Amino acid sequence: MTRSRRRLVALAATAALAFTGATAGPALAEVPPDAPEQLRNGDFSAGVSPWFSYGTGELAVTDGRLCTTVAAGTANPWDAGIGQDAVPLISGAEYELSFDVSATPGAALKAVLQLGSAPYTTYASVDATATGTAKHVTTTFTAPADNAGAQLIFQVGGSAQAQTFCLDNVSLRGGEAAPPYEPDTGPRVRVNQVGYLPGGPKHATVVTEATGALPWQLKSAAGAVVASGETTPRGVDEASAQNVQTVDFSAYRTPGTGYTLTVDGETSHPFDISGTLYDRLRADSLQFFYAQRSGIAIDGDLIGDEYARPAGHLDVAPNKGDTDVPCQPGVCDYKLDVRGGWYDAGDHGKYVVNGGIATYQLLNTFERTKTAETADGGAALGDATLRVPERGNDVPDVLDEARWELDFLLRMQVPAGKPLAGMVHHKIHDQNWTGLPLAPQDDPQVRELHPPSTAATLNLAAVAAQCARLFAPYDAAFATRCGTAAKTAYAAAKAHPAIYASASDGTGGGAYEDNNVTDEFYWAAAELWLTTGDKAYLADVTGSPLHTADVFTPNGAFGWQSVAALGRLDLATVPNTLPAAEKTRIRASITAAADRYLATIADQAYGLPMPGTADAYVWGSNSNIVNNTIVLATAFDLSRNAKYRDGAVQAADYLFGRNALNMSYVTGWGEQNAHNQHSRIFGHQLNPDLPAPPAGSLAGGPNAALQDPYAANLLAGCAPMFCYVDDINSYATNEVAINWNSALAWLASFLADQGDAAAVPTPTCAVTYTTHGSWPSGFTTQVTVRNTGTSAVNGWSLRWAFTGDQKVSQSWSAQVAQSGATVTAKNLAWNATLAPGASTTFGLNGTGSGAPNPDPTLITLNGRACTIS
């Protein structure tokens, strides 16, 4: 996720006339004194926002003026600048630009109104010479073109001496006052526009002035009324400021397409009722990562011709490339090959802390298939299930996709023999911000490694430890490489526990600052212990105050800056040797958090697991909602209690249209869906020759802070759920990001696994799994399965998964086979039938590298979970 970013500016490639008090025409523009103001916070009374800078020191308000420093020796005026985006201009309208400026010791500057992306056409400009005494500058002009999102840039570079520049009373008057923005919210009946699972919850929200209950009708595609009832009044919803009522039609379970819901004279968008609603979303949401890959040509045959492009950042002009990247000045004396990985969000930067949580969620999507009954042993995430170039290599495709980022993360580690060896560079990105749109292969900027950080180092330690156990059955050499890197990184972080990324290091890329890494230490120690069984890591886990703390917060259970919950979730789900009482306590903390999210769902008229307060609707709010939903889904996997599954299924409704804007936030999903997300790669809105974001891309979502000027100009005073606009210029509400799509991919896989969401079956089998002997390179295990049901079992197949590189070498009394980590044991002719109460026993010998060999927590008989004793 991109933090509050300062969007750059580049020199106008096409110069127009310079304005020094006169228009381009023969007469001065005449701007009336009551002309509307087009700039925001020009007197800086509200602080720095929405002003940004590049090539300068940090912006600050001093004595009511906006001030910054510029280092000596910048080559060109445009090498440093102060600016504001989303400045509206109307062709033919007359404007007056004015400002007060000073500089110490003194320098020239230019104010430029320009197109904010290539070719950076200049609409108007004015030159000035600034001294230690504030000077008032003014000019008038006639706008030569329409542009709702122009940029005003003060070019302050090019001086041989270091300078301090200060601005005040910056004003652009003229044109027309912006009309109030009214989003098209469609029908007042808000539903999940994708649909509902037959056995799952089915809720809708109605915006109405009525305060009493209203009749509702559910209609088939043919218009027949198939169900009816009355709404429940909910009053004024805090998050949307709307008077609303809710509809519950969960009792209707007949599959079909094109259903609509009619209430209060309004008819909803159509939707389906089906057990296969989300099957394609699993693939679409994961496909996003292939589209975001760096350092590889994107194959149109896999993803669609419009998305085909050459490899980005491989030193092919105009790219400076990622194969031999230097550090920022003064940071290091070496260069690294850091090719590959995923572009983080709407820019071309690659960030370890955001790559870490995104990689974790893809790896965890696969690891869940080993422990969740509904995941069917990972069949839907196996090899050749996704459209990736590695398909057909006998490795699950989701692991192949995760590996593309893992390889990059490993390359970011400081080499042995260098200062801070084993630490990990925080990020790599362009020296300066680039404009919109810009395909990766066309990026001309110099790339730089930024200083190592403890947070980035621990992110690598955690996901590389995951990698070591999950890749062990498929690629032993890569698993070993991951394991070594994880241990090295953790040791380096312990030696350097407080190296933090600078909050001011936000030129050309997001800062991703984090000055509290106790959660990263906890997460990394948990992953390393689960993978290695080393008691030293367990001591760090149990010694952390976070081990017994409530780590699940209301506004977002976890995120890139708060990862303790990741350790908690894995300690609860990944098989391990914690004492039974400790496992029970950890799992209870997850169900307790899930219960709180269920209470929030019940309290919210739009049925989402997040409070309705403005502080909950932040940058990337949609991913926070999904991550809370993942806690609900995990509680279901652990408990098999349908209330948690139903809560997760209902929470998804918000993403697909049951919200104040009647908007599906996932591209290509739902009748009214977001499709103009902020992205340099997917810039179709600005350049028709470029593609729109691919289907399955999740928008960041409503953000009450409105940190980008486009949204701030349009949405000032918005109720939290309305603080969103589907426009490429709104990076604070509408950006794409890998950690948002990783959350969606996890949830999509869970939803697809639920099928019809029928009643959870009662176990009709019990298994005793006993490892009788274990030595450094092997083990002997005996398994007894008993039929606890009321009907005979005629032919049985038992399935479980190992956690690491264990392999069955010999078996008796069953046909035992293994694929990857998954073991399948089938009956022989003589023990095929199990009468009620009957049991049979078989055994096996196995090999392993000496890593932990915990008992599995999920064993299925003919696809249904057994009780394990």
Side-chain angles (χ1 to χ4, degrees):
M1 173 183 65
T2 312
R3 297 285 289 170
S4 266
R5 298 181 170 183
R6 306 302 184 220
R7 279 330 195 229
L8 137 62
V9 173
L11 166 69
T14 305
L17 294 175
F19 292 85
T20 54
T23 65
L28 293 177
E30 297 182 4
V31 182
D34 60 348
E37 177 62 57
Q38 304 298 343
L39 297 179
R40 297 181 62 249
N41 192 29
D43 62 0
F44 312 109
S45 59
V48 170
S49 181
W51 295 90
F52 62 86
S53 68
Y54 64 95
T56 74
E58 189 170 359
L59 292 177
V61 176
T62 303
D63 296 328
R65 301 174 300 162
L66 183 71
C67 298
T68 191
T69 57
V70 181
T74 51
N76 303 294
W78 52 85
D79 289 341
I82 304 166
Q84 183 172 139
D85 281 328
V87 180
L89 296 177
I90 299 173
S91 179
E94 298 175 330
Y95 295 88
E96 179 185 78
L97 173 65
S98 62
F99 54 91
D100 297 337
V101 63
S102 63
T104 306
L109 82 156
K110 175 179 283 190
V112 182
L113 270 161
Q114 65 178 22
L115 179 68
S117 58
Y120 304 105
T121 306
T122 297
Y123 302 132
S125 67
V126 59
D127 295 289
T129 300
T131 66
T133 302
K135 176 181 180 180
H136 184 70
V137 180
T138 184
T139 186
T140 58
F141 65 94
T142 301
D146 286 322
N147 190 338
Q151 288 178 330
L152 171 64
I153 303 300
F154 292 93
Q155 296 177 356
V156 293
S159 175
Q161 296 177 289
Q163 300 285 343
T164 297
F165 282 92
C166 293
L167 291 168
D168 199 4
N169 301 317
V170 185
S171 171
L172 178 68
R173 296 186 304 105
E176 299 176 359
Y181 173 65
E182 290 290 339
D184 179 8
T185 57
R188 289 185 287 106
V189 183
R190 312 289 159 79
V191 298
N192 181 330
Q193 295 170 26
V194 175
Y196 300 87
L197 302 181
K202 302 175 190 68
H203 296 92
T205 303
V206 183
V207 181
T208 178
E209 295 180 359
T211 56
L214 297 167
W216 58 263
Q217 292 182 326
L218 178 67
K219 297 180 180 179
S220 69
V225 176
V226 295
S228 60
E230 285 197 340
T231 61
T232 301
R234 301 295 296 268
V236 176
D237 172 59
E238 180 181 18
S240 65
Q242 298 168 318
N243 188 74
V244 295
Q245 302 195 26
T246 55
V247 177
D248 183 351
F249 58 106
S250 303
Y252 188 80
R253 300 187 171 201
T254 303
T257 61
Y259 287 104
T260 56
L261 192 65
T262 298
V263 193
D264 198 24
E266 293 273 317
T267 298
S268 73
H269 289 303
F271 56 86
D272 298 344
I273 297 177
S274 170
T276 60
L277 286 176
Y278 298 109
D279 288 5
R280 184 170 58 85
L281 182 62
R282 174 168 20 213
D284 280 359
S285 57
L286 288 167
Q287 190 72 59
F288 173 83
F289 293 90
Y290 178 57
Q292 290 284 113
R293 283 194 191 186
S294 175
I296 186 175
I298 303 303
D299 186 348
D301 289 340
L302 291 174
I303 192 173
D305 289 342
E306 66 271 34
Y307 297 100
R309 58 174 169 82
H313 297 98
L314 284 185
D315 299 301
V316 177
N319 283 171
K320 299 300 187 289
D322 287 352
T323 61
D324 195 32
V325 181
C327 286
Q328 287 179 307
V331 170
C332 74
D333 63 356
Y334 52 83
K335 297 180 179 180
L336 292 181
D337 179 352
V338 291
R339 73 183 71 193
W342 303 312
Y343 297 116
D344 174 71
D347 62 307
H348 299 142
K350 299 186 292 189
Y351 308 84
V352 171
V353 295
N354 215 42
I357 188 171
T359 305
Y360 163 84
Q361 289 193 301
L362 262 63
L363 293 173
N364 191 255
T365 298
F366 174 74
E367 192 153 37
R368 175 185 168 270
T369 67
K370 298 183 177 187
T371 59
E373 178 184 6
T374 59
D376 193 27
L381 287 168
D383 188 25
T385 58
L386 299 177
R387 293 161 285 171
V388 295
E390 299 85 1
R391 65 203 320 257
N393 63 353
D394 295 326
V395 177
D397 287 344
V398 67
L399 294 186
D400 285 323
E401 189 58 70
R403 180 168 180 166
W404 193 259
E405 180 75 3
L406 283 164
D407 278 325
F408 158 72
L409 296 174
L410 292 168
R411 293 183 181 116
M412 292 287 281
Q413 196 161 25
V414 177
K418 298 294 183 180
L420 301 179
M423 295 287 283
V424 177
H425 287 276
H426 197 71
K427 57 180 182 169
I428 175 258
H429 57 64
D430 292 339
Q431 195 173 66
N432 288 304
W433 285 110
T434 55
L436 283 168
L438 185 66
Q441 69 272 13
D442 297 330
D443 177 12
Q445 284 282 333
V446 171
R447 308 276 276 179
E448 292 178 329
L449 288 166
H450 292 246
S453 72
T454 306
T457 304
L458 291 167
N459 267 262
L460 175 65
V463 297
Q466 269 185 300
C467 163
R469 66 176 180 263
L470 291 176
F471 276 89
Y474 306 102
D475 189 331
F478 184 61
T480 299
R481 181 185 169 205
C482 284
T484 300
K487 295 171 188 176
T488 300
Y490 190 77
K494 292 197 80 172
H496 306 283
I499 297 180
Y500 304 130
S502 171
S504 63
D505 187 15
T507 299
Y512 285 95
E513 73 278 7
D514 186 356
N515 293 344
N516 180 354
V517 295
T518 56
D519 53 323
E520 281 85 0
F521 270 110
Y522 178 68
W523 174 37
E527 299 295 351
L528 278 159
W529 177 70
L530 289 168
T531 297
T532 68
D534 189 322
K535 292 181 180 178
Y537 298 125
L538 179 59
D540 286 352
V541 170
T542 58
S544 170
L546 293 169
H547 190 53
T548 53
D550 181 4
V551 296
F552 301 103
T553 58
N555 293 359
F558 51 88
W560 67 265
Q561 204 172 33
S562 179
V563 294
L566 308 184
R568 180 73 59 82
L569 290 168
D570 278 7
L571 289 170
T573 56
V574 177
N576 61 69
T577 57
L578 283 173
E582 181 73 341
K583 288 182 183 178
T584 299
R585 181 192 66 79
I586 289 171
R587 291 173 177 174
S589 74
I590 293 170
T591 54
D595 285 334
R596 295 195 297 272
Y597 293 137
L598 287 178
T600 302
I601 286 174
D603 187 56
Q604 295 297 302
Y606 279 102
L608 64 159
M610 191 173 77
T613 53
D615 64 349
Y617 286 83
V618 297
W619 202 312
S621 63
N622 281 344
S623 73
N624 288 344
I625 291 167
V626 177
N627 289 337
N628 288 359
T629 305
I630 287 171
V631 176
L632 286 162
T634 303
F636 170 68
D637 287 342
L638 290 170
S639 69
R640 303 177 80 248
N641 188 327
K643 70 176 182 178
Y644 300 123
R645 177 198 65 193
D646 291 351
V649 170
Q650 182 178 347
D653 295 345
Y654 172 87
L655 299 177
F656 298 108
R658 190 190 171 200
N659 53 59
L661 287 165
N662 208 1
M663 164 79 70
S664 169
Y665 291 111
V666 181
T667 300
W669 285 76
E671 186 162 296
Q672 181 174 325
N673 62 78
H675 53 273
N676 291 319
Q677 287 103 322
H678 177 86
S679 168
R680 282 158 178 75
I681 302 174
F682 311 121
H684 184 77
Q685 185 181 1
L686 296 177
N687 181 352
D689 293 334
L690 294 175
S697 304
L698 177 65
N703 177 5
L706 300 177
Q707 289 104 327
D708 71 73
Y710 185 87
N713 285 340
L714 208 61
L715 304 174
C718 54
M721 206 181 284
F722 278 102
C723 296
Y724 169 86
V725 58
D726 181 27
D727 192 284
I728 196 171
N729 292 294
S730 182
Y731 50 86
T733 77
N734 199 37
E735 192 164 22
V736 292
I738 54 175
N739 64 311
W740 302 341
N741 249 76
S742 63
L744 178 65
W746 196 106
L747 178 59
S749 189
F750 173 85
L751 293 172
D753 287 343
Q754 303 317 305
D756 288 350
V760 179
T762 301
T764 58
C765 54
V767 173
T768 302
Y769 183 100
T770 307
T771 298
H772 289 289
S774 185
W775 51 95
S777 61
F779 58 93
T780 296
T781 294
Q782 180 174 288
V783 181
T784 298
V785 56
R786 182 167 59 91
N787 180 1
T788 60
T790 57
S791 301
V793 174
N794 294 306
W796 51 266
S797 177
L798 221 60
R799 184 178 65 199
W800 70 89
F802 290 132
T803 57
D805 68 349
Q806 304 97 318
K807 287 186 171 58
V808 175
S809 58
Q810 184 183 16
S811 63
W812 53 94
S813 299
Q815 303 175 66
V816 181
Q818 185 173 349
S819 175
T822 302
V823 178
T824 303
K826 295 184 178 181
N827 62 270
L828 300 178
W830 60 268
N831 61 0
T833 300
L834 293 177
S839 63
T840 190
T841 298
F842 63 93
L844 58 91
N845 290 328
T847 61
S849 63
N853 183 29
D855 294 349
T857 56
L858 173 69
I859 301 177
T860 62
L861 173 63
N862 298 339
R864 294 290 180 85
C866 297
T867 302
I868 300 177
S869 58

